[in-house]
Short mmCIF file of all heavy atoms in Angstrom, two decimals:
data_model
loop_
_atom_site.label_atom_id
_atom_site.label_comp_id
_atom_site.label_asym_id
_atom_site.label_seq_id
_atom_site.Cartn_x
_atom_site.Cartn_y
_atom_site.Cartn_z
N PRO I 771 -56.74 -27.77 12.58
CA PRO I 771 -56.27 -26.40 12.79
C PRO I 771 -56.19 -25.61 11.48
O PRO I 771 -55.90 -26.17 10.42
CB PRO I 771 -54.87 -26.59 13.39
CG PRO I 771 -54.87 -27.99 13.93
CD PRO I 771 -55.76 -28.78 13.04
N ILE I 772 -56.46 -24.32 11.55
CA ILE I 772 -56.24 -23.44 10.40
C ILE I 772 -54.74 -23.45 10.09
O ILE I 772 -53.92 -23.35 11.01
CB ILE I 772 -56.73 -22.02 10.69
CG1 ILE I 772 -58.26 -22.02 10.83
CG2 ILE I 772 -56.32 -21.05 9.59
CD1 ILE I 772 -58.85 -20.70 11.26
N PRO I 773 -54.35 -23.59 8.84
CA PRO I 773 -52.92 -23.71 8.51
C PRO I 773 -52.10 -22.51 8.97
O PRO I 773 -52.54 -21.36 8.86
CB PRO I 773 -52.91 -23.82 6.98
CG PRO I 773 -54.28 -24.26 6.61
CD PRO I 773 -55.20 -23.68 7.63
N GLU I 774 -50.92 -22.79 9.48
CA GLU I 774 -49.95 -21.74 9.76
C GLU I 774 -49.27 -21.35 8.44
O GLU I 774 -49.09 -22.19 7.55
CB GLU I 774 -48.90 -22.24 10.75
CG GLU I 774 -49.47 -22.59 12.12
CD GLU I 774 -49.94 -21.37 12.88
OE1 GLU I 774 -49.42 -20.25 12.61
OE2 GLU I 774 -50.83 -21.52 13.74
N ILE I 775 -48.87 -20.09 8.31
CA ILE I 775 -48.20 -19.67 7.07
C ILE I 775 -46.81 -19.15 7.39
O ILE I 775 -46.54 -18.65 8.48
CB ILE I 775 -49.01 -18.59 6.32
CG1 ILE I 775 -49.15 -17.31 7.16
CG2 ILE I 775 -50.37 -19.13 5.90
CD1 ILE I 775 -49.72 -16.13 6.38
N GLY I 776 -45.92 -19.29 6.39
CA GLY I 776 -44.57 -18.77 6.50
C GLY I 776 -44.46 -17.39 5.87
O GLY I 776 -45.45 -16.80 5.41
N GLU I 777 -43.24 -16.89 5.80
CA GLU I 777 -43.01 -15.52 5.31
C GLU I 777 -43.38 -15.34 3.84
O GLU I 777 -43.67 -14.23 3.41
CB GLU I 777 -41.55 -15.14 5.53
CG GLU I 777 -41.16 -15.04 7.00
CD GLU I 777 -39.71 -14.66 7.18
OE1 GLU I 777 -38.88 -15.03 6.30
OE2 GLU I 777 -39.39 -13.98 8.17
N ASP I 778 -43.35 -16.43 3.07
CA ASP I 778 -43.65 -16.33 1.63
C ASP I 778 -45.05 -16.82 1.29
O ASP I 778 -45.41 -16.91 0.11
CB ASP I 778 -42.63 -17.14 0.83
CG ASP I 778 -41.22 -16.61 0.98
OD1 ASP I 778 -41.03 -15.40 0.75
OD2 ASP I 778 -40.31 -17.39 1.34
N ASP I 779 -45.84 -17.17 2.29
CA ASP I 779 -47.13 -17.82 2.07
C ASP I 779 -48.29 -16.84 2.23
O ASP I 779 -48.13 -15.74 2.76
CB ASP I 779 -47.34 -18.97 3.07
CG ASP I 779 -46.23 -20.00 3.02
OD1 ASP I 779 -45.53 -20.06 1.99
OD2 ASP I 779 -46.09 -20.75 4.01
N ALA I 780 -49.45 -17.31 1.80
CA ALA I 780 -50.71 -16.60 2.06
C ALA I 780 -51.71 -17.59 2.62
O ALA I 780 -51.69 -18.78 2.28
CB ALA I 780 -51.27 -15.97 0.79
N LEU I 781 -52.57 -17.11 3.48
CA LEU I 781 -53.71 -17.89 3.95
C LEU I 781 -54.93 -17.40 3.18
O LEU I 781 -55.25 -16.20 3.20
CB LEU I 781 -53.92 -17.70 5.45
CG LEU I 781 -55.09 -18.50 6.05
CD1 LEU I 781 -54.79 -19.99 6.03
CD2 LEU I 781 -55.39 -18.02 7.47
N VAL I 782 -55.59 -18.30 2.49
CA VAL I 782 -56.74 -17.96 1.65
C VAL I 782 -57.99 -18.63 2.22
O VAL I 782 -58.00 -19.83 2.49
CB VAL I 782 -56.52 -18.40 0.19
CG1 VAL I 782 -57.78 -18.18 -0.64
CG2 VAL I 782 -55.34 -17.64 -0.42
N ARG I 783 -59.04 -17.83 2.41
CA ARG I 783 -60.34 -18.38 2.81
C ARG I 783 -61.05 -18.87 1.56
O ARG I 783 -61.31 -18.10 0.63
CB ARG I 783 -61.16 -17.30 3.52
CG ARG I 783 -62.59 -17.74 3.88
CD ARG I 783 -63.28 -16.72 4.76
NE ARG I 783 -63.25 -15.39 4.17
CZ ARG I 783 -64.13 -14.93 3.28
NH1 ARG I 783 -65.10 -15.72 2.85
NH2 ARG I 783 -64.03 -13.70 2.81
N VAL I 784 -61.34 -20.15 1.51
CA VAL I 784 -61.93 -20.76 0.32
C VAL I 784 -63.42 -20.47 0.28
O VAL I 784 -64.15 -20.75 1.25
CB VAL I 784 -61.69 -22.29 0.32
CG1 VAL I 784 -62.35 -22.92 -0.90
CG2 VAL I 784 -60.19 -22.58 0.33
N THR I 785 -63.87 -19.90 -0.82
CA THR I 785 -65.31 -19.66 -1.00
C THR I 785 -65.91 -20.56 -2.07
O THR I 785 -67.11 -20.71 -2.16
CB THR I 785 -65.58 -18.19 -1.35
OG1 THR I 785 -64.82 -17.84 -2.52
CG2 THR I 785 -65.17 -17.28 -0.21
N ALA I 786 -65.05 -21.17 -2.92
CA ALA I 786 -65.53 -22.10 -3.94
C ALA I 786 -64.38 -23.05 -4.29
O ALA I 786 -63.22 -22.64 -4.35
CB ALA I 786 -65.99 -21.36 -5.19
N SER I 787 -64.71 -24.31 -4.50
CA SER I 787 -63.69 -25.28 -4.88
C SER I 787 -64.29 -26.30 -5.83
O SER I 787 -65.37 -26.85 -5.56
CB SER I 787 -63.12 -25.99 -3.64
OG SER I 787 -62.05 -26.84 -3.99
N GLY I 788 -63.62 -26.54 -6.95
CA GLY I 788 -64.12 -27.47 -7.94
C GLY I 788 -63.82 -28.92 -7.59
O GLY I 788 -63.01 -29.22 -6.71
N ILE I 789 -64.52 -29.81 -8.28
CA ILE I 789 -64.26 -31.24 -8.19
C ILE I 789 -63.79 -31.68 -9.57
O ILE I 789 -64.54 -31.60 -10.54
CB ILE I 789 -65.50 -32.04 -7.77
CG1 ILE I 789 -66.00 -31.55 -6.41
CG2 ILE I 789 -65.20 -33.53 -7.73
CD1 ILE I 789 -67.32 -32.17 -5.99
N CYS I 790 -62.55 -32.13 -9.65
CA CYS I 790 -61.91 -32.45 -10.93
C CYS I 790 -61.79 -33.97 -11.08
O CYS I 790 -61.76 -34.71 -10.10
CB CYS I 790 -60.52 -31.80 -10.95
SG CYS I 790 -59.57 -32.13 -12.47
N ARG I 791 -61.73 -34.41 -12.32
CA ARG I 791 -61.49 -35.84 -12.57
C ARG I 791 -60.20 -36.31 -11.91
O ARG I 791 -60.09 -37.45 -11.47
CB ARG I 791 -61.43 -36.08 -14.09
CG ARG I 791 -61.26 -37.53 -14.49
CD ARG I 791 -62.54 -38.32 -14.31
NE ARG I 791 -62.44 -39.65 -14.90
CZ ARG I 791 -63.45 -40.50 -14.97
NH1 ARG I 791 -64.63 -40.14 -14.49
NH2 ARG I 791 -63.30 -41.69 -15.50
N THR I 792 -59.23 -35.40 -11.82
CA THR I 792 -57.99 -35.75 -11.13
C THR I 792 -58.26 -36.13 -9.67
O THR I 792 -57.66 -37.07 -9.15
CB THR I 792 -57.01 -34.56 -11.18
OG1 THR I 792 -56.67 -34.31 -12.53
CG2 THR I 792 -55.74 -34.86 -10.39
N ASP I 793 -59.18 -35.41 -9.02
CA ASP I 793 -59.53 -35.76 -7.64
C ASP I 793 -60.08 -37.18 -7.57
O ASP I 793 -59.79 -37.93 -6.64
CB ASP I 793 -60.55 -34.77 -7.09
CG ASP I 793 -60.00 -33.36 -6.97
OD1 ASP I 793 -58.92 -33.20 -6.38
OD2 ASP I 793 -60.65 -32.42 -7.46
N TRP I 794 -60.89 -37.53 -8.55
CA TRP I 794 -61.46 -38.88 -8.59
C TRP I 794 -60.36 -39.92 -8.76
O TRP I 794 -60.36 -40.97 -8.09
CB TRP I 794 -62.47 -38.98 -9.74
CG TRP I 794 -63.16 -40.31 -9.83
CD1 TRP I 794 -64.27 -40.72 -9.14
CD2 TRP I 794 -62.77 -41.41 -10.65
NE1 TRP I 794 -64.60 -41.99 -9.50
CE2 TRP I 794 -63.70 -42.45 -10.42
CE3 TRP I 794 -61.74 -41.62 -11.57
CZ2 TRP I 794 -63.63 -43.68 -11.06
CZ3 TRP I 794 -61.65 -42.85 -12.21
CH2 TRP I 794 -62.58 -43.86 -11.96
N HIS I 795 -59.41 -39.64 -9.65
CA HIS I 795 -58.29 -40.57 -9.83
C HIS I 795 -57.49 -40.72 -8.54
O HIS I 795 -57.09 -41.83 -8.17
CB HIS I 795 -57.37 -40.08 -10.95
CG HIS I 795 -57.89 -40.37 -12.33
ND1 HIS I 795 -58.10 -41.64 -12.79
CD2 HIS I 795 -58.22 -39.53 -13.35
CE1 HIS I 795 -58.56 -41.60 -14.04
NE2 HIS I 795 -58.64 -40.32 -14.40
N LEU I 796 -57.24 -39.61 -7.86
CA LEU I 796 -56.48 -39.68 -6.62
C LEU I 796 -57.25 -40.46 -5.56
O LEU I 796 -56.67 -41.29 -4.85
CB LEU I 796 -56.19 -38.26 -6.12
CG LEU I 796 -55.21 -37.44 -6.98
CD1 LEU I 796 -55.27 -35.97 -6.58
CD2 LEU I 796 -53.80 -37.98 -6.83
N TRP I 797 -58.53 -40.21 -5.44
CA TRP I 797 -59.37 -40.95 -4.49
C TRP I 797 -59.38 -42.44 -4.81
O TRP I 797 -59.43 -43.30 -3.93
CB TRP I 797 -60.78 -40.37 -4.52
CG TRP I 797 -61.79 -41.13 -3.73
CD1 TRP I 797 -61.99 -41.08 -2.38
CD2 TRP I 797 -62.76 -42.05 -4.24
NE1 TRP I 797 -63.04 -41.92 -2.02
CE2 TRP I 797 -63.52 -42.53 -3.15
CE3 TRP I 797 -63.07 -42.51 -5.53
CZ2 TRP I 797 -64.56 -43.45 -3.30
CZ3 TRP I 797 -64.10 -43.43 -5.67
CH2 TRP I 797 -64.83 -43.89 -4.57
N ASN I 798 -59.28 -42.75 -6.11
CA ASN I 798 -59.29 -44.14 -6.57
C ASN I 798 -57.94 -44.84 -6.35
O ASN I 798 -57.85 -46.05 -6.45
CB ASN I 798 -59.61 -44.17 -8.07
CG ASN I 798 -60.84 -44.97 -8.38
OD1 ASN I 798 -61.49 -45.49 -7.49
ND2 ASN I 798 -61.18 -45.06 -9.65
N GLY I 799 -56.88 -44.04 -6.11
CA GLY I 799 -55.55 -44.63 -6.00
C GLY I 799 -54.97 -45.03 -7.34
O GLY I 799 -54.11 -45.92 -7.42
N ASP I 800 -55.41 -44.37 -8.40
CA ASP I 800 -55.04 -44.80 -9.76
C ASP I 800 -53.58 -44.57 -10.11
O ASP I 800 -53.05 -45.26 -10.96
CB ASP I 800 -55.90 -44.06 -10.80
CG ASP I 800 -57.33 -44.56 -10.82
OD1 ASP I 800 -57.58 -45.65 -10.28
OD2 ASP I 800 -58.19 -43.86 -11.37
#
């Protein structure tokens, strides 16, 4: 589902997203 937002939130349509070394560490369970 598309995320629901609260009164202080914004819904952003993602047009670009990077791949960071941090993502690799998280995927690795490091």
Side-chain angles (χ1 to χ4, degrees):
I772 293 174
E774 296 291 334
I775 63 170
E777 294 180 330
D778 297 308
D779 304 339
L781 181 69
V782 174
R783 175 172 53 85
V784 178
T785 56
S787 185
I789 301 174
C790 179
R791 183 74 171 185
T792 297
D793 295 309
W794 183 85
H795 281 298
L796 292 166
W797 173 80
N798 239 1
D800 287 344

